[in-house]
Amino acid sequence: MVKRIEFDEPKCIAAGQCVMTAPEVFDQRDEDGVAIVLQPVPAPEHWDAVRDAVAICPAAALLLVDI
Ligand code: SF4
C-alpha cells in the first residue's frame, strides 16, 4: 500500500506541530512558517508520525490518504 499526504496550504497557520511530530516529513518555510511537505509520499515507517501530525494540526490542513 502507498499513502500520500494532502496538504491544504492556504489553511496552514504555521503552528509547526507537524514539524515537531514528524520532522523527517515536514519542514517550515523560513519566511512565514508555513509547512513544507518534504515527503509527499512518506515511507511506511513515517506513517504513524504523519497520522499524529494529521490529528494534531490545529488547522486541519493535513490528510494521509491511500493512493
Ligand atoms: S501543524 Fe498544520 S497548521 Fe501547523 S504548520 Fe503543520 S500544517 Fe501548518
Side-chain angles (χ1 to χ4, degrees):
M1 189 189 296
V2 180
K3 292 183 181 288
R4 176 174 56 83
I5 294 170
E6 285 188 359
F7 174 42
D8 191 345
E9 184 177 314
K11 283 186 173 179
C12 177
I13 58 170
Q17 279 92 332
C18 58
V19 181
M20 287 184 274
T21 304
E24 301 90 351
V25 179
F26 300 101
D27 200 353
Q28 284 178 281
R29 290 201 301 238
D30 289 339
E31 60 270 31
D32 57 10
V34 168
I36 300 165
V37 182
L38 301 174
Q39 293 189 39
V41 181
E45 61 263 33
H46 297 310
W47 289 355
D48 283 347
V50 173
R51 288 190 188 101
D52 289 346
V54 169
I56 206 171
C57 173
L62 299 171
L63 284 175
L64 184 64
V65 299
D66 294 336
I67 57 174

